[in-house]
């Protein structure tokens, strides 16, 4: 990683770490990404992976001002304010990065601490010849659609179903233009890629990694704690 001020005039790839959520599905007084595991806050695991990645030149962190002093990276970050929804947090990050004119933006959840520098370079490589790429896992269980949440409406064909992960890579200018185009309905989009596809961008499916899970509920937190305490990280 180079310091951002040394990069003027070069093509850069920007990491965008999303840390603007409140973690309401997990029982904790503080947002899950600021919980300490193995002597380190959860968000700092992902920041380290991005800083160690040769394909990343600058990093923007979407994080409320009160938490900024908790970030223990070695480079200077671009900061952006959290939005009401994840998509709005992304938009704020894109606006903060605009002055640096990145070629690609690589978006990652702070709540996914198992990400590696290899995951980041992998998704950048998968975006080649496309407008972006997103890592995904084939769905292995049978998948039901249930409209009322109680009975099966129908069974879906899982061969065509994939579960999305992060980090996700997008052509910065095209992805930003998608947000400008759909500015009045940003909150209707799910995941990072729906807005890109709606704008006509071609997004490749990259190979996801089961170990790169997101901490959503208490069981995920305990799974990550077991990995760290078992010495695998
Ligand atoms: N995120 C964000 N801004 C938001 C909402 C989410 O930056 N307004 C970030 C979260 O901090 C997290 C990532 O997006 O790193 C994935 O979101 P999720 O797992 O849903 O986290 P939370 O929204 O914090 O959790 P919950 O939905 O349980 O409240
Ligand atoms: Mg959420």
């Amino acid at each position: 990683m180079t310091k951002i001020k040394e990069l003027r005039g070069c093509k850069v790839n920007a990491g965008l770490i999303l840390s603007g959520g409140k973690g309401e599905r997990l029982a904790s007084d503080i947002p899950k990404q600021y919980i300490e595991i193995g002597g380190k806050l959860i968000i700092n695991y992902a920041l380290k992976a991005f800083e160690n990645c040769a394909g990343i030149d600058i990093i923007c962190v979407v994080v409320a001002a009160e938490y900024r002093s908790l970030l223990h990276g070695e480079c200077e970050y671009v900061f952006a304010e959290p939005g009401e929804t994840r998509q709005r947090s992304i938009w704020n990050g894109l606006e903060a990065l605009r002055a640096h004119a990145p070629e690609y933006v690589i978006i990652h959840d702070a709540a996914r601490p198992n990400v590696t520098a290899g995951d980041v370079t992998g998704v950048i490589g998968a975006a080649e010849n496309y407008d972006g790429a997103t890592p995904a896992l084939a769905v292995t269980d049978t998948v039901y659609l249930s409209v009322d949440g109680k009975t099966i409406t129908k069974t879906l064909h899982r061969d065509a179903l994939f579960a999305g992960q992060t980090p996700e890579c997008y052509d910065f200018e095209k992805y930003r233009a998608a947000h400008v185009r759909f500015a009045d309905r940003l909150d209707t989009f799910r995941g990072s890629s729906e807005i890109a596809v709606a704008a006509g961008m071609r997004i490749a499916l990259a190979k996801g990694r089961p170990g790169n899970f997101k901490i959503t509920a208490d069981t995920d937190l305990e799974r990550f704690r077991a990995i760290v305490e078992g010495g695998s990280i």
Side-chain angles (χ1 to χ4, degrees):
M1 280 262 324
T2 323
K3 296 254 179 185
I4 51 175
K5 52 188 167 231
E6 294 165 22
L7 288 166
R8 271 183 212 129
C10 315
K11 283 253 180 197
V12 302
N13 289 336
L16 176 52
I17 307 292
L18 301 177
S19 187
K22 299 196 172 85
E24 280 162 2
R25 286 173 285 179
L26 192 139
S28 165
D29 297 339
I30 49 167
K32 56 196 178 186
Q33 59 272 29
Y34 307 117
I35 296 172
E36 188 178 314
I37 306 261
K40 200 156 122 183
L41 303 194
I42 285 173
I43 185 174
N44 286 324
Y45 286 89
L47 285 173
K48 187 155 187 241
F50 271 69
E51 287 179 27
N52 287 344
C53 179
I56 294 290
D57 303 296
I58 55 174
I59 296 174
C60 174
V61 191
V62 180
V63 50
E66 64 189 293
Y67 296 118
R68 287 179 191 170
S69 63
L70 300 177
L71 309 185
H72 281 164
E74 300 193 348
C75 69
E76 54 186 297
Y77 302 118
V78 174
F79 287 119
E81 279 300 314
E84 273 297 303
T85 61
R86 186 174 177 278
Q87 201 71 48
R88 287 193 181 277
S89 286
I90 291 175
W91 170 239
N92 291 350
L94 296 176
E95 281 298 274
L97 282 168
R98 203 174 163 192
H100 302 282
E103 183 172 15
Y104 286 117
V105 60
I106 297 91
I107 301 176
H108 185 66
D109 297 325
R112 262 180 220 275
N114 289 312
V115 66
T116 64
D119 293 330
V120 180
T121 45
V123 79
I124 296 171
E128 207 175 315
N129 301 322
Y130 294 89
D131 301 316
T134 184
L137 296 172
V139 175
T140 51
D141 291 320
T142 303
V143 183
Y144 302 113
L145 176 74
S146 171
V147 173
D148 62 5
K150 293 176 187 155
T151 56
I152 295 173
T153 311
K154 67 176 185 176
T155 302
L156 301 178
H157 290 274
R158 69 168 180 235
D159 293 356
L161 294 175
F162 296 86
Q165 299 184 316
T166 73
E168 303 178 272
C169 176
Y170 303 101
D171 175 298
F172 181 83
E173 264 318 314
K174 288 182 185 171
Y175 194 58
R176 193 186 159 273
H179 286 69
V180 173
R181 175 166 162 193
F182 296 117
D184 57 344
R185 61 181 190 93
L186 280 187
D187 300 328
T188 64
F189 295 103
R190 298 278 170 267
S192 317
S193 284
E194 190 179 7
I195 190 169
V197 173
M201 291 172 68
R202 286 180 68 239
I203 308 300
L205 281 178
K207 202 168 169 350
R209 202 168 52 78
N212 182 23
F213 60 88
K214 180 162 71 71
I215 295 175
T216 303
D218 298 70
T219 47
D220 305 311
L221 187 67
E222 291 323 309
R223 184 178 167 197
F224 181 60
R225 195 190 303 278
I227 290 171
V228 173
E229 289 175 358
S232 309
I233 286 189

